Amino acid sequence: MSGGDGKKLVRSPSGLRMVPELRSARSPFGLDEPPWVPDKECPRCMQCDTKFDFITRKHHCRRCGKCFCDKCCSKKVPLPRMCFVDPVRQCAECALVSQKETEFYDKQLKVLMNGATFFVTLGTSDKSELMVCRLSNNQRYLVLDGDNHYEIEIMQISTVQILTEGFTPGGGNTRAIGMVLQYKVPGSEEVTQMKFTASEDFSCNKKLSASWLAAMHKATKLLYESRDQ
């Protein structure tokens, strides 16, 4: 894995951010700061339509960049996807989204970094290898260790399909048992596929693997959002 993971403190109109010195070193789950809607283009709150004046001041949501009154944009919520050091002002809708993401950064990211054990099958091979799979500390690589060693750059992953079992017509009662991911080999357009299957050796492994797959499912959603920005 490449180095260059140094960080620097920068100040923007939105607040203090601790960002990677190199843009190429940013987290694949990160989001760029949005441009603010210019003051002259928002004479009224974009939520409640209250007219701004000397008493009713306008505020910008740090996540969407839209313009609101204090009542509609009063919450200060952590926003790690934009590398803010402190909680920042967000509108009610964005604050709700950011609060839901907090669980990923507080819990699921640690699960991914701690890793889990899977049987890994490469491409169309009929042989699988028992490997420990984890997310690198800089969040940019999926690291697989067994008899062989692989490092898959998260940004090169094109699709992730979580495999489940126990589906019922009414929904629910399913559990994650593996995943299939496809990724591009750096320097080429070749797409490689890997299949991960949870080890059934010990019940504790099954539980850990299911938790890791659930965290990977959430990580994939954030990854897609970052790409669509």
Side-chain angles (χ1 to χ4, degrees), residues 110-118 132-135 208-209 212:
K110 295 175 183 177
V111 171
L112 290 175
M113 291 178 178
N114 287 336
T117 302
F118 296 92
V132 175
C133 309
R134 63 178 179 84
L135 185 69
L208 180 61
S209 298
W212 194 91

Side-chain angles (χ1 to χ4, degrees), residues 20-97:
E21 292 182 347
L22 301 176
R23 183 172 175 80
S24 59
R26 62 174 285 182
S27 166
F29 310 117
L31 294 173
D32 290 328
E33 283 189 83
W36 282 10
V37 174
D39 286 352
K40 62 182 179 180
E41 294 181 12
C42 54
R44 295 177 177 273
C45 174
M46 300 178 77
Q47 176 65 40
C48 70
D49 206 37
T50 296
K51 185 177 180 179
F52 295 122
D53 54 30
F54 182 74
I55 298 177
T56 305
R57 298 180 58 192
K58 59 187 65 174
H59 301 276
H60 287 85
C61 172
R62 272 49 175 172
R63 187 180 180 110
C64 68
K66 293 180 181 178
C67 200
F68 303 93
C69 67
D70 182 69
K71 182 179 178 181
C72 294
C73 193
S74 61
K75 293 186 177 181
K76 289 191 175 183
V77 180
L79 186 46
R81 293 186 74 184
M82 291 184 190
C83 303
F84 285 109
V85 175
D86 301 309
V88 290
R89 187 186 293 269
Q90 298 177 55
C91 66
E93 183 177 348
C94 287
L96 186 61
V97 175

Side-chain angles (χ1 to χ4, degrees), residues 2-228:
S2 60
D5 294 328
K7 294 187 177 183
K8 60 183 179 180
L9 189 66
V10 299
R11 180 181 292 277
S12 74
S14 298
L16 285 173
R17 302 170 65 216
M18 184 65 75
V19 301
E21 292 182 347
L22 301 176
R23 183 172 175 80
S24 59
R26 62 174 285 182
S27 166
F29 310 117
L31 294 173
D32 290 328
E33 283 189 83
W36 282 10
V37 174
D39 286 352
K40 62 182 179 180
E41 294 181 12
C42 54
R44 295 177 177 273
C45 174
M46 300 178 77
Q47 176 65 40
C48 70
D49 206 37
T50 296
K51 185 177 180 179
F52 295 122
D53 54 30
F54 182 74
I55 298 177
T56 305
R57 298 180 58 192
K58 59 187 65 174
H59 301 276
H60 287 85
C61 172
R62 272 49 175 172
R63 187 180 180 110
C64 68
K66 293 180 181 178
C67 200
F68 303 93
C69 67
D70 182 69
K71 182 179 178 181
C72 294
C73 193
S74 61
K75 293 186 177 181
K76 289 191 175 183
V77 180
L79 186 46
R81 293 186 74 184
M82 291 184 190
C83 303
F84 285 109
V85 175
D86 301 309
V88 290
R89 187 186 293 269
Q90 298 177 55
C91 66
E93 183 177 348
C94 287
L96 186 61
V97 175
S98 295
Q99 286 169 343
K100 290 181 179 179
E101 290 173 352
T102 299
E103 181 182 0
F104 174 76
Y105 280 90
D106 287 349
K107 298 178 182 179
Q108 294 172 317
L109 199 55
K110 295 175 183 177
V111 171
L112 290 175
M113 291 178 178
N114 287 336
T117 302
F118 296 92
F119 284 107
V120 179
T121 307
L122 181 62
T124 58
S125 173
D126 57 357
K127 296 182 179 179
S128 61
E129 179 180 347
L130 191 63
M131 308 189 82
V132 175
C133 309
R134 63 178 179 84
L135 185 69
S136 64
N137 290 336
N138 61 17
Q139 305 173 19
R140 302 205 315 274
Y141 295 88
L142 189 60
V143 181
L144 287 69
D145 279 307
D147 290 337
N148 292 296
H149 176 82
Y150 299 99
E151 292 179 3
I152 301 171
E153 191 173 358
I154 296 295
M155 291 298 291
Q156 298 298 325
I157 295 176
S158 53
T159 62
V160 175
Q161 177 188 3
I162 302 298
L163 306 176
T164 60
E165 70 173 8
F167 177 76
T168 59
N173 297 325
T174 61
R175 70 182 184 95
I177 59 171
M179 71 175 180
V180 176
L181 65 80
Q182 294 182 326
Y183 64 96
K184 289 184 178 180
V185 177
S188 75
E189 292 300 313
E190 179 185 351
V191 176
T192 300
Q193 177 174 295
M194 277 188 172
K195 181 178 181 180
F196 298 70
T197 306
S199 170
E200 299 288 339
D201 293 348
F202 305 100
S203 58
C204 59
N205 280 350
K206 291 166 61 176
K207 185 176 181 180
L208 180 61
S209 298
S211 297
W212 194 91
L213 290 167
M216 189 65 186
H217 184 243
K218 178 63 176 179
T220 302
K221 288 184 176 180
L222 299 187
L223 179 63
Y224 291 159
E225 289 173 10
S226 296
R227 288 176 178 171
D228 292 341

